[in-house]
């Protein structure tokens, strides 16, 4: 979710898949995703208050917990 106060342009979300996971699929409600690790989703512009949902599925290669962290970039700096 873009908590504003302004629109965000050229929004890209990148997920470097964790060790122990094999890429399955990636989908987003806005824009498109490419890659199998890292996965990069280009969302385009998000108005203030708008959101997009990204779903990345993986198959674990061993038992245990898998943690994944994504990063978000855009043209504008985020002051908060």
């Amino acid at each position: 979710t873009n908590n504003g106060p302004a629109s965000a342009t050229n929004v890209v979300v990148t997920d470097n898949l964790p060790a122990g996971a094999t890429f399955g699929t990636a989908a987003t409600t806005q824009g498109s995703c490419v890659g199998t690790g890292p996965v990069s989703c280009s969302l385009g512009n998000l108005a203030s208050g708008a959101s997009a949902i990204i779903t990345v599925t993986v198959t674990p290669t061993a038992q245990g917990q898998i943690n994944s962290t994504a990063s978000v970039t855009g043209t504008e700096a985020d002051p908060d």
Side-chain angles (χ1 to χ4, degrees):
T1 300
N2 176 6
N3 290 322
S7 293
T9 59
N10 301 312
V11 177
V12 176
V13 178
T14 303
D15 187 349
N16 293 311
L17 299 180
T22 300
F23 174 78
T25 63
T28 179
T29 57
Q30 176 175 321
S32 62
C33 299
V34 297
T36 59
V39 174
S40 179
C41 298
S42 298
L43 305 182
N45 301 335
L46 281 178
S48 179
S51 62
I53 298 171
I54 298 169
T55 305
V56 177
T57 60
V58 298
T59 301
T61 57
Q63 276 188 310
Q65 184 174 0
I66 295 175
N67 294 310
S68 183
T69 302
S71 61
V72 180
T73 61
T75 301
E76 297 77 19
D78 186 0
D80 57 2

